[in-house]
Amino acid sequence: MKKQLVLSIIFAFLFTVNAHSQSVSVSSWSGFVWAYADAGYDIINLSNDINVGANIAALSLSSTTINGGGYFMDGASARSGFTFSAKTVLFKDIKLTSFSSTNGGAIYAAGNSIISIVADSFDIVFSSNKAASKPNDIYLTSSTLNLSAGANQIRMEGGAQAVFGSAIDWSNEAGGSWYLSGINSFSKMSAFNIGSASSITVENASWTFIHNTSQLNILNGSYLSFFNSTVVFSTNTSNTILNLSASSLFFLNSTVVFSTNAGNNGGVLYAAAESQVYFDSSNFKFSSNTALFNGGAIHSYQSTMSFLNSSAVFALNSAIDGGAVYFILGQWTMDNLYIDFSSNNAGQRGGGLYIDFSSVDFSSVAARFAGNNSSNYGAAAAFLSSTISFINSDISFFKNSARNGGALYIENSTIAFDGSTIIFSSNNVDSLGYGGAI
């Protein structure tokens, strides 16, 4: 009798361990429900495509891994997706398609959940998912999203949203990428990091980054690219909002607005360590941004910028040096561009632009500097130890004011005008200053 009781206890113990610490393969919806919500396996391997037969129930364990094996789970545009609160979940090599939920099309994570999405051997695809009848793949609130793709792609066609203390970390050194379309919104986040040769492509999408007190870090050979998208960075406050180090930021055929952001150096963008910033065939506006130190909108150090085939406005930005742009030790190319610097303010030098130890080329550019102010030198622009070329361009300086250099302050620099029209009108210096125009 005692022997039988001992064997029963051992059997029960082994059954529990088997159910909670080992993996199981499933090939049907009923098998998935049993493993996920009933038996509580912590590693679930798909061995076939699964058509989801009902709304996905709550996870029974505190953590689990779902290995997709390249297979899909499809919600038939009628089933709600995964919902997590205070859970740790790894999705690997899976396709999540056609889920329809109230919050979070395919995945909703709350309560300090940690969601990891890993494309190890196959691309991960989120497609045709909706939340509240709008495109959405994943929604985070007070949770963390970690992504890695190896040499593969994580593709979110409905977009991602993260709010209220959520964090996103995307780090990938093997050439993989994260693709976003649809609706993307990031607000009041605790962190957003793109690091270690990682790539994000945002295409045919909306992107909103607002009310954040943490910066978006793009680091160590990474790329953030926007194509055919509407992009807004507004009402953020941090050291800088877009922190670019040895990396690239690219906009093509997009409408971009940077407004009412505040940082230390670069109210919106800080680019350093041979970073590259491109605006091509886009409309972009930097307005009412402030920097505690230099570069009310942009602070660029040892980096390159290219503004091509675009329309740009810098208005009402402010800083100590470079009310709109502070550019040092770099190359800035402007070609086939309309650009307007209006009502920017510098506490010291360069109400619109501060250029130092750099090369700046205006080619086929229509540029207007109007109503900019500097408390000391160069209301529109201050050029120091730099080479500035105006080629086949039309440039006007109107009603700018400073202590010295009502329009331009030039020190140890070379300015070349080739086939260009330059107009200085109604620029001013105060009674103690010099150079109403230059």
Side-chain angles (χ1 to χ4, degrees), residues 209-213 232-237 241 258-262 289:
F209 192 88
I210 59 173
H211 303 302
N212 293 286
T213 55
V232 175
F233 286 82
S234 180
T235 326
N236 303 289
T237 303
I241 310 309
F258 302 93
S259 67
T260 326
N261 301 287
N289 303 290

PDB file of all heavy atoms in Angstrom, residues 209-213 232-237 241 258-262 289:
ATOM      1  N   PHE A 209       5.419  60.583 -32.542  1.00  0.00           N
ATOM      2  CA  PHE A 209       6.270  60.459 -31.354  1.00  0.00           C
ATOM      3  C   PHE A 209       6.023  61.714 -30.518  1.00  0.00           C
ATOM      4  O   PHE A 209       6.531  62.788 -30.836  1.00  0.00           O
ATOM      5  CB  PHE A 209       7.731  60.343 -31.783  1.00  0.00           C
ATOM      6  CG  PHE A 209       8.689  59.917 -30.700  1.00  0.00           C
ATOM      7  CD1 PHE A 209       8.926  58.581 -30.450  1.00  0.00           C
ATOM      8  CD2 PHE A 209       9.359  60.858 -29.937  1.00  0.00           C
ATOM      9  CE1 PHE A 209       9.821  58.179 -29.462  1.00  0.00           C
ATOM     10  CE2 PHE A 209      10.258  60.473 -28.946  1.00  0.00           C
ATOM     11  CZ  PHE A 209      10.481  59.124 -28.703  1.00  0.00           C
ATOM     12  N   ILE A 210       5.177  61.603 -29.457  1.00  0.00           N
ATOM     13  CA  ILE A 210       4.740  62.793 -28.728  1.00  0.00           C
ATOM     14  C   ILE A 210       4.765  62.562 -27.218  1.00  0.00           C
ATOM     15  O   ILE A 210       4.652  61.441 -26.734  1.00  0.00           O
ATOM     16  CB  ILE A 210       3.316  63.220 -29.146  1.00  0.00           C
ATOM     17  CG1 ILE A 210       2.299  62.097 -28.899  1.00  0.00           C
ATOM     18  CG2 ILE A 210       3.286  63.630 -30.609  1.00  0.00           C
ATOM     19  CD1 ILE A 210       0.859  62.517 -29.138  1.00  0.00           C
ATOM     20  N   HIS A 211       4.930  63.668 -26.493  1.00  0.00           N
ATOM     21  CA  HIS A 211       4.835  63.683 -25.025  1.00  0.00           C
ATOM     22  C   HIS A 211       5.796  62.699 -24.361  1.00  0.00           C
ATOM     23  O   HIS A 211       5.474  62.112 -23.318  1.00  0.00           O
ATOM     24  CB  HIS A 211       3.398  63.380 -24.570  1.00  0.00           C
ATOM     25  CG  HIS A 211       2.364  64.313 -25.120  1.00  0.00           C
ATOM     26  ND1 HIS A 211       2.416  65.676 -24.920  1.00  0.00           N
ATOM     27  CD2 HIS A 211       1.256  64.080 -25.878  1.00  0.00           C
ATOM     28  CE1 HIS A 211       1.377  66.245 -25.522  1.00  0.00           C
ATOM     29  NE2 HIS A 211       0.665  65.305 -26.120  1.00  0.00           N
ATOM     30  N   ASN A 212       6.961  62.536 -24.938  1.00  0.00           N
ATOM     31  CA  ASN A 212       7.964  61.649 -24.353  1.00  0.00           C
ATOM     32  C   ASN A 212       9.019  62.455 -23.591  1.00  0.00           C
ATOM     33  O   ASN A 212       9.392  63.558 -24.000  1.00  0.00           O
ATOM     34  CB  ASN A 212       8.645  60.821 -25.435  1.00  0.00           C
ATOM     35  CG  ASN A 212       7.702  59.836 -26.089  1.00  0.00           C
ATOM     36  OD1 ASN A 212       7.343  58.826 -25.498  1.00  0.00           O
ATOM     37  ND2 ASN A 212       7.277  60.139 -27.309  1.00  0.00           N
ATOM     38  N   THR A 213       9.494  61.896 -22.494  1.00  0.00           N
ATOM     39  CA  THR A 213      10.614  62.490 -21.758  1.00  0.00           C
ATOM     40  C   THR A 213      11.865  61.630 -21.909  1.00  0.00           C
ATOM     41  O   THR A 213      12.858  61.861 -21.229  1.00  0.00           O
ATOM     42  CB  THR A 213      10.265  62.660 -20.276  1.00  0.00           C
ATOM     43  OG1 THR A 213       9.851  61.397 -19.735  1.00  0.00           O
ATOM     44  CG2 THR A 213       9.136  63.676 -20.093  1.00  0.00           C
ATOM     45  N   VAL A 232       5.503  62.821 -37.312  1.00  0.00           N
ATOM     46  CA  VAL A 232       5.361  63.924 -36.351  1.00  0.00           C
ATOM     47  C   VAL A 232       6.173  63.614 -35.104  1.00  0.00           C
ATOM     48  O   VAL A 232       6.011  62.549 -34.493  1.00  0.00           O
ATOM     49  CB  VAL A 232       3.886  64.148 -35.961  1.00  0.00           C
ATOM     50  CG1 VAL A 232       3.777  65.221 -34.875  1.00  0.00           C
ATOM     51  CG2 VAL A 232       3.058  64.536 -37.181  1.00  0.00           C
ATOM     52  N   PHE A 233       7.044  64.548 -34.720  1.00  0.00           N
ATOM     53  CA  PHE A 233       7.714  64.549 -33.425  1.00  0.00           C
ATOM     54  C   PHE A 233       7.295  65.842 -32.731  1.00  0.00           C
ATOM     55  O   PHE A 233       7.657  66.929 -33.183  1.00  0.00           O
ATOM     56  CB  PHE A 233       9.236  64.504 -33.582  1.00  0.00           C
ATOM     57  CG  PHE A 233       9.794  63.182 -34.003  1.00  0.00           C
ATOM     58  CD1 PHE A 233       9.791  62.805 -35.335  1.00  0.00           C
ATOM     59  CD2 PHE A 233      10.328  62.305 -33.066  1.00  0.00           C
ATOM     60  CE1 PHE A 233      10.309  61.580 -35.738  1.00  0.00           C
ATOM     61  CE2 PHE A 233      10.856  61.083 -33.448  1.00  0.00           C
ATOM     62  CZ  PHE A 233      10.851  60.713 -34.790  1.00  0.00           C
ATOM     63  N   SER A 234       6.539  65.740 -31.645  1.00  0.00           N
ATOM     64  CA  SER A 234       5.978  66.953 -31.048  1.00  0.00           C
ATOM     65  C   SER A 234       5.883  66.839 -29.534  1.00  0.00           C
ATOM     66  O   SER A 234       5.568  65.779 -28.986  1.00  0.00           O
ATOM     67  CB  SER A 234       4.583  67.215 -31.635  1.00  0.00           C
ATOM     68  OG  SER A 234       4.013  68.381 -31.090  1.00  0.00           O
ATOM     69  N   THR A 235       6.177  67.961 -28.882  1.00  0.00           N
ATOM     70  CA  THR A 235       5.964  68.119 -27.437  1.00  0.00           C
ATOM     71  C   THR A 235       6.736  67.078 -26.639  1.00  0.00           C
ATOM     72  O   THR A 235       6.228  66.514 -25.664  1.00  0.00           O
ATOM     73  CB  THR A 235       4.455  68.066 -27.086  1.00  0.00           C
ATOM     74  OG1 THR A 235       3.694  68.652 -28.136  1.00  0.00           O
ATOM     75  CG2 THR A 235       4.176  68.849 -25.813  1.00  0.00           C
ATOM     76  N   ASN A 236       7.961  66.808 -27.069  1.00  0.00           N
ATOM     77  CA  ASN A 236       8.854  65.917 -26.333  1.00  0.00           C
ATOM     78  C   ASN A 236       9.914  66.744 -25.606  1.00  0.00           C
ATOM     79  O   ASN A 236      10.320  67.809 -26.070  1.00  0.00           O
ATOM     80  CB  ASN A 236       9.542  64.946 -27.292  1.00  0.00           C
ATOM     81  CG  ASN A 236       8.561  64.128 -28.097  1.00  0.00           C
ATOM     82  OD1 ASN A 236       7.896  63.253 -27.565  1.00  0.00           O
ATOM     83  ND2 ASN A 236       8.440  64.420 -29.394  1.00  0.00           N
ATOM     84  N   THR A 237      10.364  66.227 -24.462  1.00  0.00           N
ATOM     85  CA  THR A 237      11.387  66.904 -23.679  1.00  0.00           C
ATOM     86  C   THR A 237      12.402  65.884 -23.184  1.00  0.00           C
ATOM     87  O   THR A 237      12.052  64.944 -22.473  1.00  0.00           O
ATOM     88  CB  THR A 237      10.788  67.631 -22.467  1.00  0.00           C
ATOM     89  OG1 THR A 237       9.792  68.554 -22.915  1.00  0.00           O
ATOM     90  CG2 THR A 237      11.863  68.395 -21.716  1.00  0.00           C
ATOM     91  N   ILE A 241      15.769  64.751 -28.731  1.00  0.00           N
ATOM     92  CA  ILE A 241      14.648  63.857 -29.025  1.00  0.00           C
ATOM     93  C   ILE A 241      15.099  62.709 -29.927  1.00  0.00           C
ATOM     94  O   ILE A 241      14.831  61.546 -29.660  1.00  0.00           O
ATOM     95  CB  ILE A 241      13.484  64.651 -29.656  1.00  0.00           C
ATOM     96  CG1 ILE A 241      13.174  65.888 -28.821  1.00  0.00           C
ATOM     97  CG2 ILE A 241      12.257  63.747 -29.792  1.00  0.00           C
ATOM     98  CD1 ILE A 241      12.984  65.638 -27.342  1.00  0.00           C
ATOM     99  N   PHE A 258       8.387  68.655 -36.944  1.00  0.00           N
ATOM    100  CA  PHE A 258       9.054  68.641 -35.649  1.00  0.00           C
ATOM    101  C   PHE A 258       8.619  69.922 -34.926  1.00  0.00           C
ATOM    102  O   PHE A 258       9.035  71.017 -35.327  1.00  0.00           O
ATOM    103  CB  PHE A 258      10.571  68.634 -35.800  1.00  0.00           C
ATOM    104  CG  PHE A 258      11.132  67.487 -36.599  1.00  0.00           C
ATOM    105  CD1 PHE A 258      11.348  67.613 -37.966  1.00  0.00           C
ATOM    106  CD2 PHE A 258      11.453  66.290 -35.993  1.00  0.00           C
ATOM    107  CE1 PHE A 258      11.893  66.572 -38.710  1.00  0.00           C
ATOM    108  CE2 PHE A 258      11.993  65.236 -36.726  1.00  0.00           C
ATOM    109  CZ  PHE A 258      12.203  65.383 -38.086  1.00  0.00           C
ATOM    110  N   SER A 259       7.818  69.814 -33.888  1.00  0.00           N
ATOM    111  CA  SER A 259       7.294  71.032 -33.270  1.00  0.00           C
ATOM    112  C   SER A 259       7.280  70.938 -31.748  1.00  0.00           C
ATOM    113  O   SER A 259       6.999  69.882 -31.168  1.00  0.00           O
ATOM    114  CB  SER A 259       5.876  71.320 -33.768  1.00  0.00           C
ATOM    115  OG  SER A 259       4.965  70.350 -33.328  1.00  0.00           O
ATOM    116  N   THR A 260       7.647  72.066 -31.123  1.00  0.00           N
ATOM    117  CA  THR A 260       7.510  72.256 -29.672  1.00  0.00           C
ATOM    118  C   THR A 260       8.250  71.188 -28.885  1.00  0.00           C
ATOM    119  O   THR A 260       7.758  70.670 -27.876  1.00  0.00           O
ATOM    120  CB  THR A 260       6.013  72.296 -29.258  1.00  0.00           C
ATOM    121  OG1 THR A 260       5.241  72.912 -30.283  1.00  0.00           O
ATOM    122  CG2 THR A 260       5.839  73.106 -27.972  1.00  0.00           C
ATOM    123  N   ASN A 261       9.429  70.824 -29.354  1.00  0.00           N
ATOM    124  CA  ASN A 261      10.297  69.902 -28.621  1.00  0.00           C
ATOM    125  C   ASN A 261      11.379  70.692 -27.882  1.00  0.00           C
ATOM    126  O   ASN A 261      11.728  71.808 -28.283  1.00  0.00           O
ATOM    127  CB  ASN A 261      10.944  68.912 -29.584  1.00  0.00           C
ATOM    128  CG  ASN A 261       9.921  68.106 -30.354  1.00  0.00           C
ATOM    129  OD1 ASN A 261       9.283  67.223 -29.804  1.00  0.00           O
ATOM    130  ND2 ASN A 261       9.751  68.414 -31.636  1.00  0.00           N
ATOM    131  N   ALA A 262      11.905  70.109 -26.818  1.00  0.00           N
ATOM    132  CA  ALA A 262      12.935  70.792 -26.031  1.00  0.00           C
ATOM    133  C   ALA A 262      14.031  69.811 -25.650  1.00  0.00           C
ATOM    134  O   ALA A 262      13.756  68.707 -25.147  1.00  0.00           O
ATOM    135  CB  ALA A 262      12.329  71.411 -24.779  1.00  0.00           C
ATOM    136  N   ASN A 289      10.915  74.798 -31.562  1.00  0.00           N
ATOM    137  CA  ASN A 289      11.773  73.893 -30.798  1.00  0.00           C
ATOM    138  C   ASN A 289      12.842  74.713 -30.062  1.00  0.00           C
ATOM    139  O   ASN A 289      13.262  75.767 -30.535  1.00  0.00           O
ATOM    140  CB  ASN A 289      12.441  72.885 -31.728  1.00  0.00           C
ATOM    141  CG  ASN A 289      11.423  72.095 -32.519  1.00  0.00           C
ATOM    142  OD1 ASN A 289      10.708  71.274 -31.975  1.00  0.00           O
ATOM    143  ND2 ASN A 289      11.356  72.351 -33.828  1.00  0.00           N
TER     144      ASN A 289
END
